[in-house]
Amino acid sequence: MSNIEQSNARTGAALPSEDLQDLVASNDTGGRSPTGATKKVIVWTAIIWSIFQIYYASPLPFMLQNMLNSMGIHSLNVVVDDTRARSIHLSFAIFLAFLSYPAFKHSPKYRVPAFDWLLAVVGAFLASYYLFFYGEIVKRVGAPNLQDIVVGCMGIVLLLEATRRSLGLPLVLIASVFLIYNFVGQYFPMDWMVAHRSGSINQIINQQWITTEGVFGVALGVSTKYVFLFVLFGALLDKAGAGNYFIKTAFAYLGHYRGGPAKAAVVASGLTGLISGSSIANVVTTGTFTVPMMKRVGFSAEKAGAVEVASSVNGQIMPPVMGAAAFLMIEYVNMPYNELIKHAFLPAVISYIALVYIVHLEACKQNLVGLERTDPPNPLLVSLLRAVGAFVVVGLIYFAVKYGLGWLKVALPDAAFVIVALGLLAVYGLLIYRVSQFEDLKMDDANEEMVKLPSVRPTVNAGLHYLLPVVVLIWCLMVERMSPGLSAFWGTMALIFIQLTQRSLLAFFRKQSDVISGVRLGFQDLLEGLEMGARNMIGIGIATATAGIIVGVVALTGFGTQLSNIIEFISGGNLLIMLAMVAVFSLILGMGLPTTANYIVVSSLMAVVIVEVGRQNGLVVPLIAVHLFVFYFGIMADVTPPVGLASFAAAAVSGGDPIKTGLVAFFYSLRTALLPFLFIFNTDLLLIDVGWLKGILTFVVATIAILAFTAATMGWFFAKNKWWEMPILLLATFMLFRPGFFMDYVSPSTQEVLPRHFVEKIGQAPVGDDFMLFVRGLNPYGKEITFYARVPIAEGTSGQERLDNMGMTIIQTGNMIEFEGRQLEEWLIDDVALGSVAANAGLDWDQTILSASLPRHGNWAKEWMFIPGLMLLAVVAWRQIRRRRLTDHLSVEKAYVS
C-alpha cells in the first residue's frame, strides 16, 4: 500500500481525485507519466497496437488478399495468421510494459531510463522472433538450435521482469517455481509422485517459446483474438461518455428509494462492468460519485466502500461482456460464446438482485431514507403498464429485425450488408436527433452539500445513442452468432462512427455553430480511447503470456495428473471437500494474481480433476460448471483481505479502513461464494438442458432462494430475525436450490438393479435412459479406484442385444464379495468394445460391479419440493410482518402517550 493510502487509512479521509487516478494507473496502465518525445512514443505505440488489433479482427485482410490475388499478386500476404498475431500482440505488450511501469518504487516516473529503453526494444524483438525467423523455425520444428535456445531463455527472463513490473512478484514466483520443477523434476526418483522425464533445456524452450504450447499458447491467443477488442470497446464507450450516462440513469431511477444511492451504485457498477475490464477502475470510476452519496444517506465509510466493491467486482460475471477469463473459457471448454452467456446469465443476475436486496436490508436495519426525488411519483399501475409496454415494444422490434434480416439475406444476399448499414445509420440519426432535444449530461460533484437527483426522462434520453453499439455487439453475439472477436469488431466500428460524429450532429440539430470543431474533438476522443484501450491491455497481455508458462509445464510434465492424485488423496475422494480446497486455492492465488492469470492456473490444474472426482461420486459435473466455479472464486480474490485490491481502492475513495472494508465486502459477497457450489450440484442454475418454461421457473425460484439466503445472513427479513429463524431460512434456501436432494428421500429417482437381473431390466427400460454402474478397478496408472459410470441404454430388440450394443460383456465369477456390509455375488466386466458407449463411460475389462441402478419412472418431480420450501419462507415472513406491525403499533402508542 502506498504512503498516500496508508495516510488515508489512518486519517479516514478520502483521497483526492488525482491520487485516485494515480492508483488506477499504477495498477492498470502503468505508474509512469513521462513527458515530451517519450510520452509521444508510448501514446502512438498504444494507438498503433489498437489499430493493428482492429485490422486483425476485421474481414479487411481477407478482402485485401482476395483483391491482390485477383490482380495476380500472390507474393504479398496481408492476412496475419493466429501465431504471428500472438507474437505481435506480446511484442507490443512487453514494449509498453517496460516503458510504462517503473522497475522500483524509487525509479523515475517522469522519464524512461536508457536501460528500460534497451529492455523494451530487446523484449519486443524476442517476442516477435517468430515473425523474423518463421521459415527456419518451421523447418526445424521440435528441434531448436542454439539461437532458439538463447532467444527463448532471454525472452522468458524479460517476460518475467515485465510481469514483475506490471503485475507484481507473485505470478513471477509461481511461474518460476513451475519452470524450476520442469528442469529439476527429471532428477527425482521415479517412485516419487511428482517425478517426470521431460526436463531438458531443449524441451523446455521448444515448449515455452518456439511452439504454441507455452507462452504463445491458447491464453495469449485469446487475449489477442478476443479480449483486446472487448477492452478497447469498453475504453471507447467510456471515452464517448457512456460511463457518466449509466451512473446518472441508475441514480435517476433508484436514488429516491430507501438506501437509494447504494442501490444505484449496484446497478451503475453492473452497467459500468460493460465498459471496464478492471474491478479497480470500476470502483474508482463509479465510486467517486456513489460512495459520498451513500455516506450522505447514512452508510458508514466501510459499508459504502464494501457495497461499491461487491458490485464492481461482480461486473466481471455479468453477461454479455464478461471478464477476460470468459473468453479463455470458451477455448478451454470448446463452447460458443453465446452458449457461455446463456449458462452464466442466471447466477450473475440473481447475484446482483441479492446485492440490491442486501443494500435494502442494510437501509431497513438503519432506518435510512433515499435522496429527494425530482420527478413526481407515478402510480404503481402506470409504472407496471409502462414496463410491460416497453417489454412488448422491444420484443416486437426484436422479432421484426430478426425475421426481416433473415428474409433480406435470402432475397438480397449481396446487398444485405449495405442495407443493414444504411438502416443502422438511419436509426442512429433518429436517436441523435432525439438526444439533441435534451441537455448534455454533466458529471456532478458528489461532495457538494446538496445533490439533486437527475430527472428520469431527460437523463435517459440524453444518451440513447450509446446503447446502439452495445445492441450491435449483443446482436452479433447472440442472434447472428458471430465469433466474439468479429462481434466486438462490428460493435467497435459502430462506436467509432458515433464517437467521430456525435458532437457535430448534436451541434447541427441544435443549430449551434461548432459543427466542424465537433469532428476534431471526436477524433481526439477516438485517439485517447485507442490509447487507453491498449494501455489497459498491457497487464492482460503479459498475464496471459506468463500464465502460458505454467500451462506449458503442466502439459510437458503431466503435472496435472500427478496433482489430481495428490488432491484426491488429501480430499479422500470427497467432491465437496475438493471444491472447498479449490475455492481456498483460488482465493490464496488471487491475492497475488490478476483474475485472468488466476483462472488459467487453477482451471488448468484442477478442472479435469473435479470432473473426474465428480464421476467417481456418481455426479456428472459439466466442464463449464467447473470453469465457472474457478472463475467466480478468482474474482472473489479481488475482495478478500488482506490483499483485496478493489477493497483498498474503495477505502481510498471512502476514507474508511481498507481491511474492514474488505471484510464487509466479503460478507456482502457470500452469495457469490455460495452460487458456484450450488450450480455444481444443480446444473439447472446454469440452464443446462432446460427449456423455456422450466428456465423461467428456475429463475423465479432461484431468485427467491438467494433472497432467503441473504435475509438469513443479514439477520433481517421483514424484521430482525429471531435466532431460530436463521436456520429455517437456510433450510428453505437449500430446499429451493437443491430440491433433488430432499426429493430422493421422498420419492427416489433411481432403482437398484442386481447383476443377475441386468439383461431383464435393460430390456424393459426406455432407450436412452442412463444405466448407472458403480465399479471397482484399476485406473490407467495402476491405482485401484471406485467410480460411477453412466452408460446410455442402446437400441435393441432384447436386453442382451442392447447390452451388446452398449459394448459390454458381463460374467459371474461364482465368488462372493462384501459391499456396504452385504455379501454379494461377484460380477465382472469381462470385455468392453473399443469406442463403445461403455468404453466412453470409463468402463474396462476386469472391473468389478459393486452396484447398479436405473432411472425410476413415475416418481415425483423434484420441483414439488419447492412447495414446502416456499411454505417455510411464508411462515417466517408472516411472523415477522406481524411482529413488525406490533412494534410499529406500540411505538405509535408510546409516542401518543408522550
Side-chain angles (χ1 to χ4, degrees):
M1 188 165 53
S2 67
N3 293 332
I4 295 174
E5 291 172 87
Q6 291 173 356
S7 174
N8 167 65
R10 288 194 299 266
T11 62
L15 289 179
S17 60
E18 296 83 4
D19 293 327
L20 290 173
Q21 295 307 316
D22 288 344
L23 176 64
V24 175
S26 63
N27 284 282
D28 291 338
T29 60
R32 189 176 269 157
S33 302
T35 57
T38 302
K39 179 179 180 180
K40 291 181 180 179
V41 170
I42 294 174
V43 168
W44 282 104
T45 301
I47 292 171
I48 292 169
W49 188 12
S50 291
I51 292 172
F52 163 74
Q53 294 288 164
I54 293 173
Y55 172 81
Y56 169 64
S58 73
L60 184 60
F62 300 97
M63 296 167 60
L64 289 176
Q65 193 65 55
N66 290 335
M67 187 185 303
L68 291 172
N69 291 342
S70 65
M71 295 168 60
I73 306 175
H74 300 285
S75 59
L76 183 59
N77 183 16
V78 296
V79 176
V80 183
D81 64 60
D82 290 346
T83 307
R84 284 191 176 98
R86 296 175 190 183
S87 186
I88 295 171
H89 183 83
L90 184 58
S91 296
F92 275 112
I94 289 181
F95 184 79
L96 288 173
F98 281 114
L99 297 186
S100 301
Y101 290 88
F104 305 101
K105 288 184 178 180
H106 59 268
S107 298
K109 291 182 171 55
Y110 300 102
R111 65 180 178 85
V112 178
F115 185 64
D116 284 2
W117 276 107
L118 177 64
L119 293 180
V121 172
V122 173
F125 169 75
L126 295 174
S128 57
Y129 179 69
Y130 188 87
L131 295 177
F132 298 107
F133 298 94
Y134 173 76
E136 298 178 30
I137 292 173
V138 169
K139 290 177 183 177
R140 59 174 181 266
V141 62
N145 60 16
L146 180 61
Q147 177 181 299
D148 296 338
I149 301 294
V150 173
V151 167
C153 290
M154 292 177 61
I156 290 174
V157 170
L158 288 185
L159 173 62
L160 292 177
E161 170 58 14
T163 305
R164 184 191 68 80
R165 294 185 180 208
S166 56
L167 301 170
L169 202 54
L171 183 56
V172 177
L173 292 176
I174 294 171
S176 300
V177 167
F178 271 83
L179 282 172
I180 293 170
Y181 163 72
N182 197 166
F183 181 74
V184 174
Q186 61 184 319
Y187 302 112
F188 293 164
M190 279 304 294
D191 56 342
W192 285 24
M193 192 175 290
V194 292
H196 65 82
R197 288 296 176 265
S198 303
S200 69
I201 291 294
N202 279 22
Q203 289 175 313
I204 294 173
I205 296 303
N206 185 67
Q207 178 88 351
Q208 297 293 354
W209 204 262
I210 305 304
T211 68
T212 56
E213 300 296 325
V215 170
F216 299 96
V218 171
L220 186 63
V222 170
S223 177
T224 307
K225 201 170 186 179
Y226 303 140
V227 179
F228 193 105
L229 262 292
F230 279 85
V231 171
L232 178 61
F233 179 84
L236 293 172
L237 195 59
D238 185 44
K239 203 65 188 172
N244 185 38
Y245 172 68
F246 290 150
I247 294 172
K248 285 290 190 71
T249 301
F251 268 86
Y253 274 108
L254 300 171
H256 63 280
Y257 288 110
R258 175 176 281 189
K263 294 174 181 175
V266 174
V267 175
S269 296
L271 292 172
T272 308
L274 288 172
I275 63 176
S276 173
S278 165
S279 55
I280 298 171
N282 200 347
V283 166
V284 172
T285 302
T286 58
T288 50
F289 185 74
T290 60
V291 168
M293 301 276 272
M294 285 188 266
K295 291 169 67 176
R296 180 168 300 148
V297 298
F299 281 83
S300 67
E302 286 76 20
K303 287 185 177 179
V307 169
E308 184 59 48
V309 170
S311 52
S312 295
V313 168
N314 271 25
Q316 294 184 66
I317 66 173
M318 178 60 73
V321 183
M322 301 165 68
F327 301 103
L328 288 159
M329 206 178 300
I330 63 176
E331 294 292 329
Y332 289 155
V333 183
N334 192 23
M335 173 182 289
Y337 191 67
N338 62 298
E339 281 292 312
L340 172 63
I341 289 175
K342 184 185 82 171
H343 297 320
F345 175 77
L346 181 56
V349 170
I350 65 174
S351 179
Y352 261 101
I353 291 173
L355 184 54
V356 173
Y357 189 52
I358 285 174
V359 168
H360 176 75
L361 293 180
E362 283 285 9
C364 290
K365 289 161 69 174
Q366 301 180 55
N367 199 25
L368 304 181
V369 295
L371 298 174
E372 184 178 350
R373 68 187 305 163
T374 303
D375 301 320
N378 290 319
L380 179 61
L381 181 60
V382 173
S383 299
L384 288 175
L385 288 175
R386 284 183 177 178
V388 172
F391 180 78
V392 171
V393 169
V394 170
L396 291 174
I397 292 174
Y398 165 77
F399 285 111
V401 173
K402 180 178 180 180
Y403 292 107
L405 278 178
W407 172 83
L408 187 63
K409 290 175 185 176
V410 174
L412 300 168
D414 296 331
F417 176 80
V418 176
I419 295 173
V420 169
L422 291 174
L424 282 173
L425 190 61
V427 171
Y428 171 56
L430 292 173
L431 288 176
I432 207 74
Y433 175 75
R434 176 69 176 173
V435 170
S436 69
Q437 309 303 306
F438 301 88
E439 291 185 5
D440 291 335
L441 296 178
K442 294 180 174 59
M443 180 67 78
D444 293 331
D445 184 359
N447 295 302
E448 292 179 358
E449 282 300 317
M450 289 297 295
V451 175
K452 184 180 179 182
L453 283 179
S455 182
V456 172
R457 185 168 176 269
T459 302
V460 172
N461 282 277
L464 288 174
H465 61 301
Y466 296 135
L467 303 178
L468 189 60
V470 178
V471 170
V472 170
L473 172 64
I474 296 173
W475 185 274
C476 292
L477 275 174
M478 302 301 295
V479 180
E480 297 297 327
R481 303 202 172 186
M482 296 179 183
S483 70
L486 191 56
S487 300
F489 167 77
W490 289 119
T492 302
M493 288 297 99
L495 184 52
I496 289 174
F497 182 80
I498 290 173
Q499 210 165 21
L500 291 174
T501 60
Q502 62 174 343
R503 282 190 173 90
S504 297
L505 289 176
L506 287 172
F508 173 77
F509 286 126
R510 290 168 178 167
K511 296 181 172 53
Q512 296 172 345
S513 59
D514 54 347
V515 174
I516 303 300
S517 63
V519 177
R520 179 177 55 81
L521 291 173
F523 187 72
Q524 183 178 336
D525 284 346
L526 173 60
L527 291 179
E528 291 178 0
L530 292 173
E531 178 204 351
M532 188 55 60
R535 297 190 69 174
N536 286 338
M537 273 300 299
I538 297 172
I540 297 175
I542 296 292
T544 51
T546 307
I549 293 176
I550 300 166
V551 175
V553 172
V554 171
L556 187 61
T557 62
F559 180 72
T561 302
Q562 298 153 348
L563 181 67
S564 69
N565 294 332
I566 296 171
I567 296 296
E568 185 184 344
F569 173 76
I570 296 173
S571 65
N574 185 289
L575 182 60
L576 194 58
I577 295 176
M578 179 175 290
L579 289 172
M581 290 172 62
V582 172
V584 173
F585 185 41
S586 296
L587 290 175
I588 293 173
L589 277 183
M591 291 180 183
L593 303 188
T595 302
T596 305
N598 188 4
Y599 166 76
I600 295 170
V601 173
V602 181
S603 63
S604 61
L605 293 176
M606 300 303 304
V608 178
V609 181
I610 295 174
V611 172
E612 178 61 26
V613 172
R615 188 172 72 90
Q616 293 177 18
N617 283 267
L619 184 68
V620 176
V621 183
L623 194 56
I624 180 62
V626 178
H627 280 265
L628 283 172
F629 182 95
V630 173
F631 183 39
Y632 267 58
F633 278 99
I635 290 169
M636 283 285 292
D638 273 350
V639 178
T640 313
V643 198
L645 294 179
S647 298
F648 278 97
V653 175
S654 69
D657 181 88
I659 299 298
K660 288 182 181 177
T661 301
L663 290 172
V664 177
F666 182 77
F667 179 69
Y668 287 166
S669 300
L670 284 177
R671 83 239 179 267
T672 308
L674 171 72
L675 285 170
F677 285 95
L678 292 170
F679 59 57
I680 288 286
F681 293 97
N682 182 9
T683 56
D684 288 353
L685 294 174
L686 299 180
L687 302 179
I688 295 176
D689 298 327
V690 170
W692 277 101
L693 290 178
K694 188 176 180 181
I696 293 171
L697 177 64
T698 302
F699 173 74
V700 172
V701 174
T703 302
I704 296 171
I706 201 70
L707 296 182
F709 175 78
T710 302
T713 54
M714 293 294 292
W716 192 284
F717 195 14
F718 289 91
K720 186 177 180 181
N721 293 344
K722 299 285 188 182
W723 68 267
W724 51 268
E725 289 175 335
M726 179 179 174
I728 293 178
L729 289 171
L730 291 176
L731 176 61
T733 300
F734 193 60
M735 292 178 75
L736 296 176
F737 272 132
R738 283 289 318 275
F741 177 83
F742 295 94
M743 186 55 74
D744 273 344
Y745 288 98
V746 178
S747 177
S749 58
T750 60
Q751 55 180 328
E752 185 177 1
V753 180
L754 295 176
R756 70 171 73 99
H757 298 146
F758 277 178
V759 175
E760 175 190 351
K761 294 295 184 181
I762 288 174
Q764 297 171 355
V767 173
D769 270 7
D770 282 336
F771 183 38
M772 177 77 83
L773 290 169
F774 186 48
V775 300
R776 180 173 60 208
L778 300 179
N779 68 7
Y781 307 99
K783 179 186 175 184
E784 184 176 285
I785 60 170
T786 56
F787 66 94
Y788 287 87
R790 293 175 182 263
V791 187
I793 294 178
E795 297 275 358
T797 56
S798 66
Q800 186 59 53
E801 184 180 343
R802 290 183 174 187
L803 201 59
D804 293 340
N805 291 338
M806 291 155 65
M808 299 168 57
T809 301
I810 300 172
I811 62 170
Q812 182 181 8
T813 65
N815 299 325
M816 301 296 290
I817 59 171
E818 184 175 339
F819 175 65
E820 294 183 346
R822 296 183 295 169
Q823 291 293 320
L824 303 174
E825 301 169 345
E826 183 181 37
W827 287 74
L828 289 180
I829 300 175
D830 186 52
D831 188 28
V832 175
L834 188 65
S836 64
V837 291
N840 294 336
L843 297 177
D844 205 348
W845 55 279
D846 276 357
Q847 291 175 338
T848 302
I849 299 175
L850 301 176
S851 68
S853 63
L854 282 168
R856 184 190 298 272
H857 295 278
N859 60 303
W860 291 4
K862 64 181 181 181
E863 285 76 17
W864 285 109
M865 197 53 64
F866 291 156
I867 295 176
L870 293 173
M871 289 176 66
L872 285 175
L873 283 181
V875 169
V876 175
W878 174 71
R879 290 186 60 87
Q880 290 202 4
I881 291 171
R882 283 189 60 194
R883 195 160 66 237
R884 189 181 68 183
R885 286 177 177 172
L886 179 60
T887 303
D888 292 344
H889 180 69
L890 292 175
S891 298
V892 171
E893 282 190 349
K894 185 177 180 180
Y896 177 76
V897 171
S898 300

